[in-house]
Amino acid sequence: MTKPLRIGIAGLGTVGVGTLEVLSAHAETFASRVPRPLTVKAVAARDQARDRGVDLDGYEWFDNAVDMASGDHVDIVVELIGGSDGIAKELTEVALANGKHVVTANKALIAIHGTALAMAAEEAGVTLAYEAAVAGGIPIIKALREGLVANRIDRLYGILNGTCNYILTEMEQSGRNFLDVLDEAQSLGYAEADPSFDIDGIDAAHKLAILASVAFGTAVDFDGIHVEGIRHISPIDIEFACELGYGIKLLGVAARTAGGYEQRVHPCMVLESAPINHVSGVFNGIAVDGNFVDTTIYEGRGAGAGPTASAVVADILDIARGNPVPVFGIPARNLKPAQTVDMGRHRGAYYVRLTVVDKPGVFADIATILRDHEVSMESVLQRGRAPGEPVSVVMTLHESLEADVVNTLDAMASLDTVIEAPCMIRVETFA
Ligand SMILES: NC(=O)c1ccc[n+]([C@@H]2O[C@H](COP(=O)([O-])OP(=O)(O)OC[C@H]3O[C@@H](n4cnc5c(N)ncnc54)[C@H](OP(=O)(O)O)[C@@H]3O)[C@@H](O)[C@H]2O)c1
């Protein structure tokens, strides 16, 4: 009789309880799909008395999750606690050092310590699996690491944070401002009480760092990512974007360029007709360009108990089936340094909105600054006329070097007639 694969689940919140539910809901199907029986042996969380809506009788309880990983209690540790450091990191390190497979949904942990943890896992001959850490229920790690393995990945981009996508979608559909919609997202449970990880782009950057590593075979480089959030996006920018034929999305973009790898998270104007622009609300969407396959697109729920647990359980079943693949697609010791390109060297098109005093000569000053910085304008829009009053002037700029655009905007900001900091949004031409 084959020995069962013993599972220990650390963290019994949204994803931990979801994982227990998925494991029990389809237990019979799983038994027919993997060569070893699966059994949940142990669980760990902080408060044993808390009612979690699932029956925990029959599982060994650990107040200290690290103890669960250190003895001969389980074969797989499922880390569903969260946080890049502290208990989640210690638990993962101890589990790997003790020859246990680890499955985690923890993007912060993998984005910051992924390369070292991958080395530890591969040295110990065990699996470190993290499908649930990126885009919840979308099997994007498997797609990149296995389904697209025949390709050179040249670029991937995507909506990696459902909270931001919900806020931007609602702002576009209702015309409300950012703070109003954030407030609503918090009351609906789509945004945390402290929303900064989501709205400042950090959560999306964690996920992008992981995706870029798998796509390019590079060490995870969270610190190299250029990160901007969505706090500065205003209804007027969304209106102008619509008028110009674009939508605004917070995207993570990782691209192979002649000078290295671009890794960036920031709001983007994308063509109204582009598939990524049609990923709305809390959904995530990712497009991957492979040299043989061309563009493939993945869309689905990026969070929530069911979608995230679906990915956690897929990783558990993969371990039970055997046939391990290296953590980031190639052995961790062979991951190349990321050589992330500085954002100043990015070339792209730009949307710029200036708030200026409506008086003669303003356009001449702006045109002179553009000429002096060798940045060329594609189009210009002015909303209304109000002599002596502030008006919005919107320009789109032809493809330019970002460093030149930044210098141009600094010069414009110093004009007496420009009365607010210019708003700049990068324009992406995904078909
Ligand atoms: N929620 C999602 O939709 C989602 C989606 C993708 C990825 N993730 C990731 O999945 C992980 C878990 O997220 P979640 O939403 O399930 O979090 P959660 O609901 O806040 O649950 C966290 C769990 O960790 C336990 N915990 C906290 N500190 C602990 C400690 N020192 N020792 C043992 N247990 C401890 C808590 O125990 P108590 O219950 O006893 O307090 C709780 O059960 C995170 O890495 C998150 O980023 C979540």
Side-chain angles (χ1 to χ4, degrees):
M1 162 91 182
T2 321
K3 272 174 62 178
L5 196 63
R6 299 165 302 166
I7 301 163
I9 298 183
L12 295 172
T14 306
V15 185
V17 168
T19 299
L20 282 173
E21 286 172 343
V22 172
L23 281 169
S24 100
H26 291 170
E28 275 182 32
T29 318
F30 298 153
S32 70
R33 287 188 174 164
V34 295
R36 284 178 76 176
L38 303 174
T39 175
V40 177
K41 265 288 188 223
V43 293
R46 281 179 299 207
D47 180 1
Q48 190 171 5
R50 178 173 298 169
D51 178 6
R52 299 167 194 277
V54 285
D55 184 4
L56 298 177
D57 291 348
Y59 307 137
E60 194 176 348
W61 175 273
F62 285 87
D63 283 321
N64 182 348
V66 178
D67 291 344
M68 183 175 84
S70 36
D72 184 32
H73 307 282
V74 298
D75 304 302
I76 303 181
V77 170
V78 183
E79 185 280 301
L80 301 173
I81 295 173
S84 62
D85 290 277
I87 181 85
K89 177 166 176 266
E90 186 186 351
L91 171 64
T92 303
E93 286 171 341
V94 168
L96 297 175
N98 281 277
K100 322 277 183 218
H101 304 288
V102 173
V103 173
T104 181
N106 190 335
K107 49 239 163 179
L109 176 75
I110 301 298
I112 292 168
H113 303 294
T115 309
L117 292 173
M119 297 235 199
E122 289 171 16
E123 267 163 36
V126 293
T127 296
L128 169 63
Y130 52 88
E131 182 65 73
V134 183
I138 305 174
I140 186 64
I141 300 299
K142 205 170 187 63
L144 278 174
R145 207 172 42 184
E146 297 173 51
L148 299 176
V149 68
N151 291 264
R152 183 191 67 228
I153 305 299
D154 292 322
R155 181 178 68 173
L156 60 85
Y157 56 91
I159 293 168
L160 301 173
N161 184 274
T163 305
C164 288
N165 205 43
Y166 173 82
I167 292 172
L168 292 173
T169 304
E170 281 299 307
M171 285 176 71
E172 181 181 320
Q173 287 176 356
S174 68
R176 283 180 296 157
N177 69 34
F178 170 77
L179 287 175
D180 261 14
V181 180
L182 171 62
D183 203 38
E184 178 190 81
Q186 286 172 315
S187 64
L188 291 170
Y190 295 153
E192 303 282 339
D194 174 2
S196 49
F197 254 48
D198 290 321
I199 63 176
D200 293 331
I202 297 159
D203 175 79
H206 284 150
K207 296 166 186 167
L208 186 74
I210 298 169
L211 290 175
S213 179
V214 180
F216 303 138
T218 51
V220 194
D221 183 25
F222 173 72
D223 289 337
I225 299 182
H226 176 89
V227 189
E228 289 171 29
I230 62 166
R231 289 182 199 257
H232 64 290
I233 300 296
S234 66
I236 191 170
D237 295 315
I238 293 177
E239 259 180 59
F240 274 122
C242 286
E243 203 169 319
L244 293 163
Y246 293 95
I248 298 181
K249 297 288 185 189
L250 182 79
L251 293 188
V253 183
R256 190 188 289 274
T257 71
Y261 298 98
E262 282 196 353
Q263 296 193 61
R264 46 196 174 90
V265 170
H266 52 74
C268 292
M269 284 182 34
V270 290
L271 281 174
E272 201 290 319
S273 57
I276 201 77
N277 188 47
H278 297 167
V279 177
S280 55
V282 294
F283 279 73
N284 284 192
I286 301 164
V288 182
D289 296 343
N291 64 325
F292 291 120
V293 73
D294 207 342
T295 301
T296 55
I297 298 183
Y298 312 80
E299 182 181 351
R301 292 189 182 276
T308 313
S310 159
V312 169
V313 173
D315 278 346
I316 294 172
L317 296 179
D318 258 359
I319 292 169
R321 283 175 164 149
N323 192 26
V325 285
V327 178
F328 291 105
I330 60 171
R333 65 180 175 284
N334 296 342
L335 292 168
K336 296 166 288 177
Q339 287 183 323
T340 305
V341 182
D342 183 80
M343 200 60 199
R345 288 165 58 202
H346 169 69
R347 287 194 74 81
Y350 295 82
Y351 158 100
V352 173
R353 178 174 52 81
L354 301 174
T355 307
V356 302
V357 180
D358 188 1
K359 64 180 197 188
V362 174
F363 271 110
D365 292 342
I366 291 171
T368 303
I369 290 172
L370 286 167
R371 187 203 59 205
D372 290 350
H373 291 83
E374 296 182 34
V375 168
S376 75
M377 189 163 64
E378 185 188 6
S379 65
V380 63
L381 285 175
Q382 180 183 330
R383 220 3 105 63
R385 282 237 49 209
E389 300 292 320
V391 289
S392 290
V393 171
V394 159
M395 292 174 280
T396 54
L397 307 179
H398 282 299
E399 193 171 296
S400 312
L401 192 66
E402 175 133 341
D404 291 340
V405 173
V406 169
N407 290 336
T408 303
L409 297 191
D410 285 349
M412 288 178 182
S414 68
L415 293 173
D416 289 343
T417 45
V418 172
I419 56 173
E420 275 179 20
C423 168
M424 178 269 270
I425 302 175
R426 297 169 190 87
V427 179
E428 297 286 347
T429 47
F430 308 128

